[in-house]
Every structure is written in C-alpha cells, then in structure tokens.
C-alpha cells in the first residue's frame, strides 16, 4: 500500500470534493480517497505508488488543478 497527499486548487464545495474523489477513485489501483475541502489536501491510498502525472490527469478531468504533492 502507498499513501500520498496532494494539494488541489479550486475546490469550493461538496460537489467539488465529489468530483475529485470520483475521478481519483477511478484510477487503477486506488483504494481510498480522502479530501479536506478547507485545506485543499487530497490523500490517496493505492496498491502501489502512483505517477504524479496520472494523479494530475484525474484532477484535471475533474476540473481542478494539482499544485503540489
């Protein structure tokens, strides 16, 4: 198992959290996604470490910007 925390910019509501959680949860190997709306922190647990670009693509698909890992 691997757990990584990322910073996502632009989330402002529960719908934003849902969109990010849904897109990241659909990434192969992801087993859990926890989003802290107030801080913009997203913690992703997966079977193996994820490539940052894979996470960035999922966040972009949700309509937000990955600004740090």
């Amino acid at each position: 198992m691997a757990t990584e925390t990322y910073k996502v910019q632009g989330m402002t509501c529960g719908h934003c959290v849902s969109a990010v959680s849904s897109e990241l949860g659909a990434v192969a190997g992801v087993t859990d996604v926890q989003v802290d709306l107030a801080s913009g922190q997203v913690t992703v647990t997966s079977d193996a470490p994820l490539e940052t670009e894979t996470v960035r693509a999922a966040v972009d698909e949700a309509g937000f910007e990955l600004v740090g890992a």
Side-chain angles (χ1 to χ4, degrees), residues 30-55:
V30 171
T31 58
D32 186 51
V33 178
Q34 297 294 319
V35 180
D36 182 336
L37 180 60
S39 68
Q41 299 289 319
V42 179
T43 303
V44 180
T45 303
S46 55
D47 294 331
L50 300 172
E51 295 290 329
T52 302
E53 286 310 309
T54 301
V55 175

Side-chain angles (χ1 to χ4, degrees), residues 12-26:
T12 59
C13 64
H15 182 278
C16 300
V17 169
S18 178
V20 170
S21 296
S22 177
E23 289 296 332
L24 286 170

Side-chain angles (χ1 to χ4, degrees), residues 2-3 6 9-10 14 19 21 23 29 32 40 43 47-48 50 52 56-57 59-60 64-65 68:
T3 300
Y6 303 92
Q9 185 174 315
S21 296
E23 289 296 332
D32 186 51
T43 303
D47 294 331
L50 300 172
T52 302
R56 184 180 311 281
V59 171
D60 285 351
F64 303 97
E65 181 182 0

